[in-house]
Amino acid sequence: MKTSATAFSPVANYINGAAINDPLPSMDVISPLDGTVISKVPLSKRETLNKAVESAQKAFPAWSGQTLKERVQVFFRFRQLLEKNLEELSKLIVAENGKTLDEARAEVFKGMELCEFTCSLPQIVRDEVQEVSQGIECRTSHHPLGVVASITPFNFPHMVPMWTIPNALALGNCMIVKPSEMVPLSMQRIAQLLSEAGLPPGVFNIVNGDRQIVEAICDHPDIKAVSFVGSTRVAKIVYQRAGSNLKRVLCMGGAKNHLIVLPDANTEISAANIAASMSGCAGQRCMAASAMVGVGKVDHIVAAICEEARKIVPGENLGAVITAEAKARIERYIDEAEREGAKILVDGRNVSVPGQEGGFYVGPTVIDYVRPDMKIAQEEVFGPVLSIMRTDDVDEAIRIENASPYGNAASVFTQNGKMADYVTERVSAGMAGVNIGVPVPREPFSFGGWNESRFGVGDITGHSSIGFWTQLKKTTTKWNPEAWKDWMS
Ligand code: NAD
């Protein structure tokens, strides 16, 4: 494998506020843009995780002893540092993940928005107090859990870790992050910026590696909670393993998002939204439009989607997919759909970007007359591919959506408000949309799917994350000795 002319220094683990370069086996970090090696990532062992947990445990009493208002001061400064370093952070994302610079910038902006929510936590986290009977008072207070862990995927090297890091830390926990071994670079810079923002050593730690470290996290007796974002296959493994070790667990899994398109939908708006949703981040988003169900006469909308898709050019406004294997897998799905009788309207197979021939590119692909029983209609493709199914009945379209084992997002395109309500009420997805291709709830609303797109209780961001990263203490107080004695306060 060729080494890039613009390689980065080898990735380090980050423990107790310092980069640790212990000799460990390592793996190449490969840029999807041209297939060159841009760095090396250590494949850490359990001992490294143990050291990180020890350092987090040591840091916990002082960090959790601060007030919430004191702790969020770090995130006010951190948010400003993200803005100051926007271009550098965005270029790192591009190098390791292969998305476009605009998409990378959007990811960093989203990171800032997540921080802004964190900064507002003192205004949001409400403890309650009430006189529950004469002279007796009950109050609640939120407490951190201790050392917690966050395991993240390759598709958002910056944003997905930011779903968990600022909230978990501001709420008083100390954290171990295990980034995807395919995209470990962004997290290195985030550690430096957190330190620059004033986060004490040991509060935030990074342990790089593969499934061995994930398994070690699930097994470690001193890690109290685990959040995971990645494929459904691994989400199930982590949910079961960490759960069987009695940890609090929240796992976000894969997706197969359906768009139900009615003939009265605005052609231009629908086509632009659907094409952007299926191709943004090269389709490697858990919120990407993947399966469209056209209800009735929607040929004009399908034609407009194809027109939009043809404006999307690999290497210009379409990034690369993560690996050569991912490219081959996506193209296999397309081949198989074609063999089974689907019609390829826009074909993204076998594309190559001049000057980046070693890159892993798949062009935008629109496939019509896909049947619900085909593999491409059922499985997560995770590439810039839209499969279109046809029906004459909106209830049948809803049945197709409901039959998916996933349940991240579903959108309806129509100009009829009553029909929009009818569909959104019936889709089996945690994030529903009307005339929008990527119905991501923005802060303070929380992010989370249903069914096999999420295992655990609650969502991963917004208000919901407060419950996940804290535990409630209920304190009952009686100072007046003359208060009525009873079997209950
Ligand atoms: P992945 O499941 O392969 O990897 C996620 C993490 O798990 C990585 O850190 C990886 O090192 C680790 N891992 C991989 N295999 C493992 C195993 N066998 N045992 C233990 N740990 C293992 O996911 P990915 O390919 O990095 O990311 C893409 C997937 O993530 C897609 O399915 C996408 O839909 C999903 N995703 C979901 C959401 C959501 O919020 N629902 C958000 C982003 C991505």
Side-chain angles (χ1 to χ4, degrees):
M1 189 78 61
K2 252 173 59 184
T3 301
S4 166
T6 51
F8 298 85
S9 18
V11 170
N13 289 318
Y14 184 80
I15 297 176
N16 201 26
I20 309 289
N21 284 303
D22 286 342
L24 283 166
S26 67
M27 184 183 121
D28 289 342
V29 180
I30 294 164
S31 172
L33 296 171
D34 58 8
T36 57
V37 176
I38 53 170
S39 185
K40 290 210 171 292
V41 59
L43 299 177
S44 309
K45 304 277 171 215
R46 277 177 192 256
E47 297 72 58
T48 312
L49 178 72
N50 293 345
K51 278 189 213 157
V53 174
E54 265 169 44
S55 107
Q57 276 184 312
K58 267 195 205 126
F60 181 68
W63 179 243
S64 60
Q66 292 188 21
T67 63
L68 178 55
K69 275 199 172 190
E70 284 167 332
R71 287 191 299 260
V72 298
Q73 299 310 312
V74 170
F75 295 96
F76 277 104
R77 294 189 290 271
F78 179 60
R79 188 238 169 263
Q80 293 313 102
L81 288 171
L82 292 180
E83 188 166 4
K84 191 173 151 204
N85 293 282
L86 168 70
E87 285 307 300
E88 187 205 342
L89 290 164
S90 306
K91 284 178 186 157
L92 261 184
I93 297 171
V94 172
E96 62 182 342
N97 172 275
K99 61 181 67 174
T100 68
L101 187 56
D102 279 347
E103 288 166 348
R105 286 190 186 117
E107 197 176 323
V108 182
F109 275 118
K110 183 67 200 175
M112 290 180 211
E113 190 179 355
L114 288 154
C115 267
E116 286 156 17
F117 176 78
T118 304
C119 292
S120 73
L121 283 174
Q123 274 58 253
I124 295 173
V125 179
R126 288 258 169 265
D127 292 333
E128 292 177 347
V129 56
Q130 199 184 117
E131 191 175 25
V132 288
S133 64
Q134 287 286 325
I136 312 281
E137 190 184 274
C138 274
R139 60 185 281 252
T140 57
S141 48
H142 287 76
H143 296 261
L145 304 172
V147 180
V148 298
S150 177
I151 302 160
T152 59
F154 79 79
N155 64 329
F156 284 94
H158 181 107
M159 181 190 79
V160 167
M162 297 291 275
W163 282 356
T164 56
I165 298 168
N167 287 346
L169 299 187
L171 290 164
N173 301 287
C174 293
M175 188 176 241
I176 316 292
V177 171
K178 205 300 277 174
S180 163
E181 60 276 37
M182 289 186 270
V183 294
L185 300 174
S186 292
M187 212 33 53
Q188 301 276 291
R189 195 67 187 108
I190 283 177
Q192 290 165 353
L193 294 178
L194 281 169
S195 168
E196 200 177 324
L199 193 73
V203 173
F204 173 75
N205 305 273
I206 304 170
V207 180
N208 290 285
D210 56 13
R211 59 180 289 180
Q212 281 190 50
I213 288 301
V214 174
E215 288 167 2
I217 287 172
C218 294
D219 296 345
H220 201 295
D222 297 322
I223 294 179
K224 303 294 178 202
V226 176
S227 75
F228 169 91
V229 181
S231 62
T232 290
R233 184 181 66 81
V234 183
K236 285 180 181 172
I237 295 171
V238 171
Y239 191 69
Q240 286 173 336
R241 190 157 177 160
S244 74
N245 285 314
L246 308 177
K247 300 184 194 314
R248 190 178 282 195
V249 198
L250 181 60
C251 292
M252 317 308 277
K256 185 81 191 171
N257 304 313
H258 288 72
L259 306 179
I260 296 178
V261 179
L262 303 177
D264 73 328
N266 179 303
T267 308
E268 238 178 38
I269 293 174
S270 308
N273 270 276
I274 294 169
S277 176
M278 71 97 160
S279 65
C281 299
Q284 299 174 120
R285 281 189 292 194
C286 64
M287 294 295 280
S290 171
M292 169 180 150
V293 190
V295 182
K297 292 187 170 48
V298 294
D299 283 351
H300 58 296
I301 301 175
V302 172
I305 292 171
C306 292
E307 206 175 304
E308 287 293 327
R310 289 191 190 97
K311 294 182 202 159
I312 299 165
V313 182
E316 287 178 26
N317 52 359
L318 179 67
V321 298
I322 192 72
T323 55
E325 293 73 37
K327 176 178 160 73
R329 188 199 66 235
I330 296 161
E331 295 191 342
R332 266 200 310 277
Y333 274 113
I334 305 170
D335 292 345
E336 205 173 310
E338 189 175 39
R339 268 202 310 278
E340 290 179 354
K343 194 170 166 200
I344 316 288
L345 301 181
V346 181
D347 192 347
R349 287 172 291 186
N350 306 315
V351 298
S352 156
V353 172
Q356 286 171 219
E357 286 77 7
F360 315 129
Y361 288 94
V362 180
T365 302
V366 182
I367 312 178
D368 205 354
Y369 299 106
V370 169
R371 292 188 315 273
D373 62 327
M374 290 180 183
K375 215 159 124 184
I376 200 165
Q378 295 178 354
E379 297 181 6
E380 182 176 41
V381 177
F382 226 49
V385 180
L386 182 70
S387 301
I388 302 176
M389 290 168 270
R390 305 279 197 143
T391 174
D392 284 328
D393 175 10
V394 74
D395 289 314
E396 176 60 15
I398 292 166
R399 270 195 294 278
I400 292 170
E401 191 281 336
N402 285 181
S404 170
Y406 297 106
N408 226 32
S411 275
V412 55
F413 287 78
T414 178
Q415 298 192 61
N416 180 331
K418 209 169 162 195
M419 192 51 96
D421 284 349
Y422 185 85
V423 176
T424 52
E425 277 167 22
R426 286 164 179 76
V427 290
S428 181
M431 294 171 278
V434 177
N435 297 325
I436 185 162
V438 185
V440 172
R442 304 280 295 261
E443 273 37 55
F445 295 93
S446 56
F447 187 101
W450 286 3
N451 311 325
E452 296 209 346
S453 293
R454 194 261 330 255
F455 302 92
V457 178
D459 293 333
I460 198 159
T461 64
H463 288 285
S464 196
S465 68
I466 299 167
F468 186 73
W469 297 119
T470 58
Q471 51 197 343
L472 272 188
K473 185 173 281 179
K474 290 69 59 182
T475 306
T476 303
T477 308
K478 177 158 90 175
W479 285 116
N480 50 339
E482 70 281 8
W484 184 251
K485 286 195 206 77
D486 200 349
W487 63 274
M488 202 167 73
S489 51

